[in-house]
């Protein structure tokens, strides 16, 4: 059993788990937090409904209102197009920044998951080695008591 790590050694080797979500949040600048907030909210149904409602109201007013109250002539809708394009121009780079930050966060989480899985695999391997060693010890005790391995298994099954 010399090559098997002891439980105390496994526990000593264990590093405390990091909260990568918290660490990621702490590294963000205020502008990055703003970009993430915009990315999360622009990609929501609420934002879609706001833009859709704004568009329907704008276009309806300029189609259906009395001519002297229309402020953006129908069929051209120059002002509506201008505002829509400005919104797109400002949102596009912000959304891309937010997506890059979300991607960086996903990579941190994936690396953390890999480290946890690697640790679990090492610990499971050590436990399996301990179980194999205990099985060999038990088999040696059974043989020393004068029983065959088959007889000992039969007795164990009968006792259940």
């Amino acid at each position: 059993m010399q090559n098997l790590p002891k439980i105390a050694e496994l526990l000593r080797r264990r590093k405390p788990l990091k909260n990568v979500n918290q660490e990621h949040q702490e590294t963000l600048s205020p502008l990055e937090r703003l970009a993430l907030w915009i990315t999360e909210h622009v990609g929501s149904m609420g934002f879609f409904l706001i833009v859709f409602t704004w568009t329907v109201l704008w276009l309806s007013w300029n189609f259906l209102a009395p001519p002297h109250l229309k402020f953006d002539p129908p069929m051209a809708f120059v002002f509506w197009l201008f505002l829509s394009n400005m919104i797109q121009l400002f949102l596009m780079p912000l959304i891309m920044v937010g997506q890059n930050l979300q991607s960086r966060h996903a990579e941190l989480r994936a690396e953390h998951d890999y480290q946890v899985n690697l640790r679990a695999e090492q610990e499971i391997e050590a436990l399996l080695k301990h179980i194999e060693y205990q099985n060999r010890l038990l088999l040696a005790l059974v043989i020393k008591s004068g029983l065959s391995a088959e007889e000992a298994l039969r007795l164990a099954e009968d006792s259940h």
Side-chain angles (χ1 to χ4, degrees):
M1 181 142 160
Q2 298 88 333
N3 62 345
L4 297 179
K6 298 194 181 323
I7 299 296
E9 183 183 339
L10 285 174
L11 292 174
R12 184 183 53 77
R13 276 195 259 164
R14 265 187 152 209
K15 295 176 188 166
L17 292 176
K18 298 184 287 185
N19 184 345
V20 292
N21 296 322
Q22 183 179 2
E23 286 181 5
H24 175 70
Q25 282 294 327
E26 291 170 357
T27 64
L28 296 175
S29 71
L31 285 176
E32 289 173 330
R33 289 178 202 275
L34 176 65
L36 276 173
W37 185 88
I38 290 171
T39 300
E40 290 167 4
H41 288 83
V42 167
S44 69
M45 282 304 293
F47 184 78
F48 169 77
L49 292 173
I50 289 170
V51 170
F52 181 76
T53 303
W54 171 69
T55 299
V56 167
L57 291 175
W58 185 289
L59 297 178
S60 297
W61 179 262
N62 286 291
F63 263 120
L64 305 173
H68 67 282
L69 294 176
K70 294 178 183 180
F71 54 88
D72 198 13
M75 303 321 230
F77 296 114
V78 176
F79 193 52
W80 177 78
L81 287 171
F82 170 75
L83 290 177
S84 298
N85 286 335
M86 292 307 293
I87 290 170
Q88 290 174 31
L89 286 172
F90 288 126
L91 286 180
M92 185 178 56
L94 281 173
I95 290 171
M96 291 173 70
V97 168
Q99 288 174 336
N100 287 340
L101 292 169
Q102 289 171 337
S103 173
R104 187 173 76 191
H105 186 205
E107 289 296 322
L108 287 172
R109 287 191 320 263
E111 178 62 28
H112 182 261
D113 287 347
Y114 171 74
Q115 295 300 326
V116 168
N117 291 339
L118 190 63
R119 178 195 302 177
E121 185 177 319
Q122 291 168 345
E123 291 174 358
I124 289 169
E125 184 179 344
L127 290 171
L128 288 172
K129 287 179 181 179
H130 279 281
I131 290 171
E132 287 174 4
Y133 180 75
Q134 289 174 354
N135 284 345
R136 288 195 305 270
L137 284 176
L138 288 172
L139 184 59
L141 288 172
V142 165
I143 292 171
K144 189 167 183 152
S145 70
L147 293 173
S148 70
E150 291 80 20
E151 291 171 324
L153 285 173
R154 207 173 317 112
L155 285 172
E157 288 175 359
D158 291 343
S159 67
H160 279 57

